[in-house]
Amino acid sequence: MTANTLGAVKSYQRQLFEIRNQVSDRWEYLGDNTESTGWNAWFFWNFTLDTNVDEYMNNDKISVRFRTDNKYDVVNMDYIAMHTTTNTVETFVPTLSPTDGVTDSIWKPKASDRLTWQWQLSGDIDTSFDVDMYDIDLFDVSIETIDFLKSEGRIVVCYFSAGSYEGWRDDWREFFPDITDDNYEEDVPPFANKMSGWDERWLDIRYIDLLEPIMRSRLQLAKDKGCDAVEPDNMDAYANGDETGLDLTGDDQLAYNIFIANAAHDVGLSVGIKNDVDQLDVLVNYFDWALNEQCFEYDECDTYDSFVDVDKAVFGVEYVGLAAVFCLEANNGNLSWLKKRLSLDAYRIGCEDFI
């Protein structure tokens, strides 16, 4: 296996590769950055295993991990590229995407079906709408309501925030013992600045290792409650640097969003990408559908061509404007759109009424 990295010297931060031995069920040391000269030059890693490669194979896959020696397992590195060779046949190490193994049982809505839907995140859920899909709050809606919606033939999408800290969600205290009330204000990872207009704080999504346990727990909760899919919110922190106070990059956001998509698929859930319009060309390979707010108002609906062109559904809402106007364009573009109030209560005008 070979790799190229651009990062810190060992005296500043040790970085190492390990490979999983499937026979002994242990991680084995491959090498570290002892010879690295730092940020001024690429460091070339070259590892050779003089043993039977079958010891490291599991379903035709080899597991390699990259680690650091700091408390949060955060790496001071700009770039990493790697590939392996076995028996002179090159095998590049891919990043898992939904099209590389998502089961057929996961809901994959088609844009061409122009599905109808309801989005309600406040108030008692009005279950009377004859629509294909309901998008409701993961925590606030009971299993009984979810069961009823599914008995009526509705797909149920469960909303949660994957990119912000909401102090009133009890699971934060479970995974972060230092949090003792609903108003945690300590300036420590993964918590960032307050979100403008909302009683929430942005998350530093670079700390995937710290956020992974709570996010996987939420996805399992969605599965256990009977949700068919999830809508993770606040997935564009990198585009809100003036609020977050963080120097996040597009790559930081892609890494986190792809982690969420893969984690949802791991438990058999469909997952949609919320907003993050500037990265849709990449994220279409990982998410099953998309959800947008106000793309007609901000003249950015054409960014969703990447989803529609591969027949992946795009759901959306407008809070201002005439439904009779934007619905014509939405319907022509195979976009499933609504007119909603900002409170996201039961009120809706569906664009299916303008066909």
Side-chain angles (χ1 to χ4, degrees):
M1 189 189 85
T2 60
N4 265 327
T5 60
L6 195 62
V9 295
K10 183 179 178 181
S11 60
Y12 182 82
Q13 180 186 75
R14 189 187 184 208
Q15 302 165 354
L16 64 153
F17 279 98
E18 296 175 326
I19 189 168
R20 189 72 172 181
N21 188 313
Q22 304 296 338
V23 176
S24 64
D25 199 28
R26 296 173 62 90
W27 289 100
E28 295 182 359
Y29 172 80
L30 283 172
D32 66 12
N33 58 331
T34 298
E35 303 298 327
S36 172
T37 59
W39 303 97
N40 59 313
W42 287 94
F43 177 48
F44 181 72
W45 313 61
N46 188 15
F47 314 119
T48 301
L49 291 171
D50 296 323
T51 185
N52 188 348
V53 71
D54 291 340
E55 293 183 24
Y56 304 92
M57 301 293 290
N58 182 18
N59 294 325
D60 296 326
K61 295 181 181 179
I62 296 175
S63 296
V64 175
R65 72 179 182 184
F66 182 77
R67 300 183 61 199
T68 67
D69 62 358
N70 64 60
K71 179 179 179 181
Y72 298 111
D73 201 28
V74 176
V75 62
N76 287 284
M77 178 178 291
D78 277 347
Y79 187 82
I80 182 171
M82 55 190 292
H83 76 272
T84 63
T85 59
T86 59
N87 295 330
T88 71
V89 178
E90 291 197 357
T91 306
F92 284 85
V93 180
T95 302
L96 179 65
S97 73
T99 56
D100 293 329
V102 176
T103 65
D104 291 338
S105 62
I106 288 179
W107 182 57
K108 299 176 183 178
K110 294 182 179 181
S112 57
D113 288 339
R114 291 201 298 201
L115 300 177
T116 58
W117 69 300
Q118 163 66 331
W119 195 21
Q120 183 178 351
L121 300 182
S122 66
D124 294 334
I125 301 299
D126 183 344
T127 60
S128 66
F129 294 105
D130 184 13
V131 294
D132 297 305
M133 181 268 278
Y134 265 74
D135 190 337
I136 55 181
D137 190 274
L138 169 62
F139 297 97
D140 295 341
V141 178
S142 68
I143 293 177
E144 290 74 20
T145 298
I146 293 174
D147 286 345
F148 176 78
L149 288 170
K150 295 184 73 170
S151 73
E152 293 289 299
R154 319 294 181 220
I155 291 292
V156 176
V157 174
C158 291
Y159 165 97
F160 71 96
S161 179
S164 72
Y165 161 72
E166 302 166 308
W168 63 92
R169 305 295 194 190
D170 292 338
D171 58 347
W172 282 108
R173 302 183 197 184
E174 176 184 350
F175 289 93
F176 293 84
D178 289 343
I179 299 177
T180 58
D181 56 36
D182 292 354
N183 191 30
Y184 187 67
E185 296 183 347
E186 295 298 318
D187 186 20
V188 297
F191 305 100
N193 289 348
K194 288 189 175 181
M195 186 179 293
S196 177
W198 301 93
D199 187 21
E200 303 175 38
R201 292 177 64 180
W202 288 100
L203 295 174
D204 189 338
I205 45 91
R206 293 172 295 190
Y207 290 87
I208 293 178
D209 56 332
L210 299 181
L211 293 169
E212 182 173 1
I214 187 172
M215 296 305 159
R216 286 193 181 275
S217 174
R218 290 179 170 188
L219 292 167
Q220 188 60 54
L221 174 64
K223 185 68 174 180
D224 292 344
K225 292 185 74 169
C227 310
D228 299 292
V230 286
E231 180 216 329
D233 196 9
N234 300 310
M235 301 283 277
D236 54 1
Y238 87 105
N240 291 275
D242 55 335
E243 284 191 22
T244 66
L246 303 172
D247 189 22
L248 299 175
T249 68
D251 286 343
D252 293 328
Q253 193 68 62
L254 285 174
Y256 185 70
N257 290 0
I258 291 169
F259 151 68
I260 291 292
N262 288 341
H265 291 148
D266 285 346
V267 294
L269 291 170
S270 172
V271 59
I273 180 62
K274 174 81 165 289
N275 297 327
D276 196 10
V277 294
D278 293 329
Q279 297 187 317
L280 294 176
D281 286 347
V282 176
L283 295 174
V284 67
N285 298 308
Y286 299 88
F287 287 82
D288 305 299
W289 46 277
L291 193 152
N292 173 270
E293 293 172 290
Q294 301 160 274
C295 80
F296 286 102
E297 180 179 350
Y298 296 118
D299 193 25
E300 57 189 18
C301 294
D302 58 348
T303 60
Y304 286 91
D305 288 349
S306 56
F307 273 75
V308 175
D309 287 348
V310 294
D311 206 18
K312 289 188 176 184
V314 180
F315 303 95
V317 300
E318 301 296 319
Y319 301 115
V320 299
L322 295 175
V325 175
F326 66 73
C327 280
L328 293 178
E329 189 171 350
N331 291 337
N332 288 335
N334 280 348
L335 303 175
S336 297
W337 235 249
L338 301 174
K339 175 73 176 289
K340 294 286 293 184
R341 291 191 282 245
L342 274 171
S343 60
L344 292 176
D345 56 12
Y347 168 86
R348 77 182 290 277
I349 298 176
C351 282
E352 67 273 12
D353 295 335
F354 295 88
I355 295 176

